[in-house]
Amino acid sequence: MTTPAIPDHAELILPAPAKLNLMLHILGRRADGYHLLQTLFQFLDYGDELGFALRQDGEIRLHTGVPGVPHDSNLIVRAARRLQEASATRLGADIWLDKRLPMGGGIGGGSSDAATTLLGLDHLWQTHLGEERLAELGLALGADVPVFVRGRAAFAEGVGEQLQPVELAEPWFLVAIPQVNVSTAEVFAAPELTRDTPAITVRSLPEGGGHNDCQPVVEKRYPEVRNALKTLNKFVDAKMTGTGACVFGSFPNQADADKVSRQLPDTLPSFIARGCNRSPLHRKLETVTRK
C-alpha cells in the first residue's frame, strides 16, 4: 500500500493546473537577452495538486519534493518564502506535492505549483496581498507564474507578463508527453530561432491560436518531440506547447480524444483534459472562501 502524496491532515488542498500555449510568436530580443513574445494561454482541468498545513514556527517544509531539485531551490519553497518576506508573516507551512505534470514539458508545472503556493498560502496565512501584488511576486519566480496567479485565459505580450484576458472555445485536448526534458534556455539561445515574427493584435488571433516559433528548433534538436508530432499529426493538427516537450491536438468532445488516445503507442504517454478559460485553482479557491 503506497502512502498518499497529500496526507489527511492537510488543511487546504488545491489544484495546480497545466496550461497550453496555443501559439507562441517571438517578435524580437531585448538588450538584456530576454525575448519579446506574443502567446495565448489556456488552462487545462488537469495538473498537480498541493496540500498545505499551517505551522506556527515560521518554517517552510516541502515534504514531497521533485527528484534532482534541492528543497530550497524548488519553486514551491521559493514562492512560500517570497510571500513570507513580502507579508512579514511569522507563520510557516507544511507543504505536500502530488506531482503529475512532467518537468520540461512546456505545460507550466513548476510555474503553476508556484502560483498555487502563493495563492494558497495567502489564503491560509490571511496575508491579503491581493492578485496584483501576488502576480508581481510570481513574475520574479518565472515569466509564466503571473498568468497562473491571475487565473484567466490570456493573450500575453512583453516577456509574457503583459496579460489581456480572452474568451476562447473550450475544446478537449489530447496532450502527448515525449519522454525527454527540453531545455528552455537552449531553445531561446538557438541561433536558428525565428526572432522577427510580425506582431499581431488580439482581434486578429486565428481561431485555435497560431504557430509556435520554438517548434522548428525543438523538432530539429529533439527527435522524441519530432516523432510525437508526426504520430499525433496522423489524427489531428498537432502543435507543441511552449518550448516543449509536450504536443497537443484539440477535439470537439472527449470521446474523439479518447479514440485517438487509444491508438497512440505505449512509448508515448498522454492525458486528456478540457480547456478552461477560468483556472480550476480559482474555482476551487472560490468555494473555499465561501465556507
Side-chain angles (χ1 to χ4, degrees):
M1 185 174 176
T2 58
T3 304
I6 300 176
D8 292 338
H9 62 270
E11 298 167 45
L12 181 64
I13 298 176
L14 295 172
K19 59 81 178 171
L20 292 177
N21 295 85
L22 302 181
M23 55 154 278
L24 178 55
H25 298 175
I26 310 297
L27 279 54
R29 187 188 242 169
R30 302 193 314 195
D32 61 7
Y34 282 95
H35 285 77
L36 295 169
L37 55 85
Q38 290 183 321
T39 189
L40 189 61
F41 289 109
Q42 190 171 38
F43 304 103
L44 299 177
D45 63 353
Y46 178 87
D48 296 343
E49 197 169 56
L50 281 89
F52 304 92
L54 205 59
R55 291 182 69 98
Q56 300 295 331
D57 61 4
E59 287 286 316
I60 301 295
R61 294 190 183 172
L62 176 61
H63 295 275
T64 47
V66 177
V69 180
H71 179 273
D72 289 358
S73 300
N74 193 296
L75 276 176
I76 293 169
V77 175
R78 291 170 57 199
R81 288 178 176 160
R82 275 198 165 271
L83 183 59
Q84 275 184 322
E85 184 180 342
S87 65
T89 183
R90 295 185 177 182
L91 297 171
D94 290 302
I95 308 174
W96 298 270
L97 169 66
D98 185 357
K99 189 70 184 161
R100 300 165 190 166
L101 301 178
M103 294 179 66
I107 51 179
S111 296
S112 188
D113 292 343
T116 293
T117 301
L118 290 171
L119 286 160
L121 291 180
D122 183 64
H123 173 81
L124 197 64
W125 291 340
Q126 293 295 291
T127 47
H128 304 296
L129 260 60
E131 186 180 282
E132 196 69 36
R133 183 71 179 110
L134 293 175
E136 285 178 17
L137 294 177
L139 182 59
L141 297 165
D144 285 352
V145 180
V147 74
F148 288 107
V149 169
R150 296 191 182 279
R152 291 174 287 279
F155 179 66
E157 299 183 272
V159 295
E161 85 289 4
Q162 299 169 24
L163 301 170
Q164 185 174 346
V166 291
E167 284 296 317
L168 306 170
E170 296 181 320
W172 288 86
F173 290 101
L174 171 58
V175 182
I177 309 170
Q179 298 301 282
V180 63
N181 190 329
V182 172
S183 166
T184 297
E186 178 191 344
V187 174
F188 278 117
E192 71 270 27
L193 177 66
T194 298
R195 295 182 174 89
D196 58 358
T197 294
I200 62 172
T201 65
V202 69
R203 290 186 177 182
S204 64
L205 276 170
E207 188 176 346
H211 71 272
N212 183 341
D213 282 328
C214 296
Q215 185 171 313
V217 176
V218 177
E219 283 193 72
K220 177 182 172 184
R221 294 169 180 238
Y222 295 87
E224 297 92 342
V225 176
R226 183 171 65 248
N227 292 336
L229 283 161
K230 282 181 181 177
T231 299
L232 202 52
N233 265 319
K234 294 174 184 175
F235 309 99
V236 66
D237 181 23
K239 289 189 283 190
M240 186 184 79
T241 177
T243 54
C246 290
V247 303
F248 67 92
S250 67
F251 298 85
N253 55 66
Q254 186 177 9
D256 287 355
D258 277 332
K259 184 178 178 182
V260 172
S261 174
R262 289 194 294 269
Q263 298 178 70
L264 296 181
D266 293 340
T267 53
L268 185 60
S270 65
F271 66 86
I272 294 166
R274 184 78 185 264
C276 304
N277 292 330
R278 182 73 172 151
S279 168
L281 166 62
H282 291 68
R283 292 203 300 266
K284 179 68 180 289
L285 274 171
E286 285 170 4
T287 66
V288 171
T289 304
R290 282 198 295 266
K291 289 180 181 177

